[in-house]
Amino acid sequence: MTAVQREIEAAPGSRIAGPEDIWAGHRSFAGVRTRVLEVGPKPKRGTGRLVLLHGYCDSADTWRPALAELAAAGIPAVAVDLPGFGEADPLRPGAILAQLDAFVAEVTRCYADRGKVVLGGNSLGGTMSLRAACREQLPIAGVVSIAAPGFVDSWLVRTVGKYPLPLRLAASLPLPVPGFVVRTIAGLVVPWLLYADRSAADIAHVSRFTGLFPDFRSTTTRLDQARRLVAELADAYDGLESIKVPLLVVACGKDRLVTAAAGQRLHTLVPHSQLMLREEWGHCPQLDDPVAIAELLSYFRAGALHKKPRRRAPGVAQKAAG
């Protein structure tokens, strides 16, 4: 158990035995109490951890399969629930991104106790990683941005942002939609949105998402929050030219929320970045292919920290285009 892990207030029975050896506990960052998942040994001085950020309506659990792989490889890594999701405190009223910025900044500072961290973010987590990298004072060695929204999004994301039809329907319906109907629909839609192949969806991960939509009221609340977030994304990336650290942009060919063109656009805006396009991945490749994602993150971390990697990520890092 590392020093950081000893500081965590752990829930009874939260230690998971086995090769994955994921430590779960709670900490507070920027006034937000949240859950932390951590693996790996205490980093040597001068080296940093991987800090992994999840997407909208997701949680740190999305990284569990990849964390298990990182643990087996001896790579120190941590994943946190962002404010408003998982077991974290709710978002406060007001701008969403500003609250997440403050939270991610403190998480970054905390886990840079041994050296600069490498941020890896999926979807909204990719957005927050990019925004953090724009702040040169933060101890960041590099960023992996996976399917960050707000560059070239799918028709679905644009529709949520501009035409909140479900919200108007909710106000006009004479009777509430039964919860089991909402959960059934969510159970069909979520695998299609997150995975490249919905038939391969893991029931446990799907249940995490559908649990966020127990009834029609909660669903419309989340949709309204998503609409506000999409509006904020219009100005989310001012200052990308200030990113000096290594940046790997991951675009996914079967992503139904953020098109691969979004990654290409981001790569253009940050000329020194690398672009990786994986045609077979969906919006959450950490669920599609956690082994490859763990290898990718491990290899990128080694390069960003100027260390010789233990092994090259076969079929992954070699495909990154400059």
Side-chain angles (χ1 to χ4, degrees):
M1 184 189 300
T2 70
V4 170
Q5 289 169 334
R6 283 195 293 269
E7 295 171 3
I8 294 174
E9 175 191 345
S14 61
R15 184 88 183 204
I16 301 175
E20 61 269 33
D21 202 20
I22 298 174
W23 178 256
H26 293 83
R27 298 194 68 168
S28 292
F29 305 98
V32 177
R33 188 171 187 274
T34 190
R35 183 180 54 138
V36 175
L37 303 179
E38 189 170 355
V39 300
K42 183 177 182 178
K44 296 180 180 178
R45 189 166 298 279
T47 64
R49 297 172 176 84
L50 281 168
V51 175
L52 304 176
L53 306 176
H54 63 79
Y56 184 74
C57 281
D58 206 343
S59 73
D61 290 312
T62 193
W63 295 106
R64 276 189 182 273
L67 284 172
E69 297 295 329
L70 292 167
I75 304 298
V78 60
V80 296
D81 289 340
L82 292 174
F85 308 105
E87 297 180 20
D89 288 342
L91 286 162
R92 305 182 184 99
I96 296 173
L97 292 181
Q99 296 180 59
L100 298 181
D101 283 335
F103 177 86
V104 171
E106 188 164 332
V107 170
T108 300
R109 295 188 188 101
C110 173
Y111 287 104
D113 57 319
R114 308 294 292 182
K116 292 183 178 181
V117 305
V118 172
L119 290 178
N122 171 237
S123 193
L124 176 60
T127 298
M128 302 320 301
S129 297
L130 291 168
R131 288 171 64 88
C134 291
R135 303 171 63 179
E136 294 185 35
Q137 71 273 25
L138 290 179
I140 298 172
V143 168
V144 179
S145 177
I146 305 170
F151 295 99
V152 183
D153 298 326
S154 72
W155 64 270
L156 181 59
V157 173
R158 296 195 301 271
T159 299
V160 169
K162 295 181 180 179
Y163 308 106
L165 179 60
L167 302 180
R168 295 199 297 270
L169 286 175
S172 64
L173 288 173
L175 294 174
V177 177
F180 79 89
V181 174
V182 174
R183 292 190 295 274
T184 299
I185 294 173
L188 294 173
V189 173
V190 165
W192 179 77
L193 290 177
L194 302 185
Y195 286 81
D197 178 5
R198 63 182 179 183
S199 67
D202 185 282
I203 295 177
H205 288 295
V206 173
S207 296
R208 284 192 296 105
F209 282 90
T210 56
L212 294 170
F213 309 102
D215 50 46
F216 197 58
R217 180 177 180 180
S218 62
T219 301
T220 55
T221 299
R222 286 291 185 183
L223 285 172
D224 181 56
Q225 188 182 65
R227 178 187 59 81
R228 292 188 290 116
L229 182 57
V230 170
E232 289 187 35
L233 287 175
D235 302 312
Y237 300 110
D238 294 340
L240 287 179
E241 67 281 355
S242 65
I243 295 179
K244 307 301 181 187
V245 298
L247 169 62
L248 175 60
V249 180
V250 179
C252 307
K254 293 187 177 180
D255 191 336
R256 298 177 179 91
L257 289 172
V258 178
T259 68
Q264 295 166 346
R265 173 63 176 161
L266 173 56
H267 175 50
T268 300
L269 293 172
V270 186
H272 75 272
S273 66
Q274 290 183 298
L275 172 65
M276 174 184 291
L277 172 61
R278 292 296 296 260
E279 293 287 355
E280 71 276 25
W281 285 352
H283 186 63
C284 294
Q286 69 273 12
L287 301 180
D288 283 323
D289 197 347
V291 174
I293 284 293
E295 289 179 336
L296 169 63
L297 291 169
S298 176
Y299 182 77
F300 180 84
R301 171 183 174 271
L305 297 175
H306 304 291
K307 291 176 58 183
K308 184 177 180 180
R310 294 183 181 181
R311 58 176 179 170
R312 195 174 184 87
V316 178
Q318 298 95 319
K319 293 186 179 181

